[in-house]
Amino acid sequence: MRDSIYFSWICDNRLRVIMMVMMMVSWRCVVGLENINPIFFDEGLSHLFGESNLIRSPDDRSVRLLLDKYTGSGFISSSMYQHGFFSSLIKLPGAYTAGIVVAFYTSNGDVFVKSHDELDIEFLGNVEGKPWRFQTNMYGNGSTNRGREERYRLWFDPSKEFHRYSILWNPTKIIFWVDDVPIREIIRKEEMKGDYPQKPMSLYATIWDASSWATSGGKFAVDYTFSPFVSEFKDIALDGCNVSDSIPTVASNINININCSVSYQLLTTSDYSTISPKQAAAMRRFRERYMYYSYCYDTVRYAVPPPECVIVTAEKTRFRDTGRLKFGGSHAKVHRARKRRRRNRSTPVDAADQ
């Protein structure tokens, strides 16, 4: 009898170990990046706007952002960072999502109002049965007239399960990630000057009504009979040089030398700051199959490609007609609880959006 109980105990524990390993493997397959350290909401985040539509989980590891006919919602990092790695597992609303934008981005527009920097991942909703699309963008030193948009499709349905979306920003490069696939790399060049983001930024996540431009150039608006629209964020990571205590000084003198050497070393040597040959091949395949607009090949906006552009012959041939764009109006209206300040910029609408 004792042997039988002992054998059963061993089997049960082996089963638990196997299940834990399987769960870890499954999680790693989704994340695909090393050295990610998720935080609790209270550790580094706070409400931005629409507090009644921001729902935190009991364990404080995840948050739901809702959009209804009264308000959207959002959160912001409690600190500003001089460079960093910003990451989250995100699941988007399903069904009819036309006119909706879910954004995960960094910005300093509330501190440097006329010379702000920004790095965007913006998800663009669609009519029912049509897939979500998304875009990445970069602004430096208030260069909103020189948006650097790229637009893409996804190889999965982002409303069915969580996927990790990440932004690396260090002194020499910017990399946008989807799971373990780098989808865009921007290498800093001296010719960019202030167009490369250099000032401390906060992390933001928002859901809001962008009916005027987000879907087919504003043809399809948000239909609130499908509300509330729910986006979920969990396992949020913030790695970088926290400089919030220095922001008043930085705002008056942006050239101040902040000691972030330890953080810089981590941000330039971590696995998410280096693209391996295998990941480079995955990025090339992604851009061949899923990128449908790039500012680097937009000859209407830029007769001469901006200095950071690396022109790929195959891409140039494929995008030879995409310079004929229609432009939306002002958008990206983000309400901050204490300031309610409007952010404006112009975004192209590609023929693929029609």
Side-chain angles (χ1 to χ4, degrees), residues 15 20 34 48 65 105 121 140 152 225 265 308-309 345:
L15 182 60
M20 288 177 64
E34 301 289 346
L48 178 63
L65 298 182
Y105 65 104
I121 298 178
Y152 326 87
T225 60
Q265 184 176 3
E308 74 280 2
C309 286
R345 63 180 180 268

Side-chain angles (χ1 to χ4, degrees), residues 29-46:
C29 288
V30 172
V31 176
L33 299 175
E34 301 289 346
N35 304 325
I36 289 180
N37 303 305
I39 63 170
F40 293 101
F41 192 92
D42 271 343
E43 284 183 314
L45 304 167
S46 59

Side-chain angles (χ1 to χ4, degrees), residues 263-282:
S263 176
Y264 288 176
Q265 184 176 3
L266 291 173
L267 291 172
T268 55
T269 60
S270 297
D271 62 300
Y272 47 67
S273 66
T274 303
I275 298 177
S276 69
K278 182 177 180 180
Q279 290 168 333

Side-chain angles (χ1 to χ4, degrees), residues 276-309:
S276 69
K278 182 177 180 180
Q279 290 168 333
M283 180 167 66
R284 186 170 59 253
R285 287 193 298 270
F286 171 84
R287 296 174 69 82
E288 289 174 352
R289 298 174 185 177
Y290 300 105
M291 183 173 71
Y292 66 88
Y293 171 79
S294 172
Y295 72 102
C296 288
Y297 304 104
D298 189 337
T299 56
V300 170
R301 296 174 71 192
Y302 303 107
V304 177
E308 74 280 2
C309 286

Side-chain angles (χ1 to χ4, degrees), residues 166-222:
S166 310
I167 302 170
L168 167 78
W169 168 49
N170 70 28
T172 61
K173 70 173 68 172
I174 295 162
I175 304 176
F176 294 91
W177 294 83
V178 176
D179 291 333
D180 60 349
V181 178
I183 64 167
R184 180 179 181 183
E185 181 181 36
I186 302 170
I187 303 296
R188 182 180 182 179
K189 293 187 177 181
E190 288 301 319
E191 295 87 344
M192 296 177 69
K193 299 180 180 179
D195 280 8
Y196 189 88
Q198 300 177 59
K199 301 184 294 296
M201 291 193 281
S202 300
L203 173 69
Y204 293 78
T206 58
I207 183 171
W208 50 284
D209 185 328
S211 294
S212 64
W213 68 273
T215 308
S216 298
K219 181 179 179 181
F220 299 98
V222 175

Side-chain angles (χ1 to χ4, degrees), residues 83 139 160 208 241 250 254 279 332:
H83 302 104
Y139 298 113
K160 296 298 184 184
W208 50 284
C241 184
V250 172
I254 63 173
Q279 290 168 333

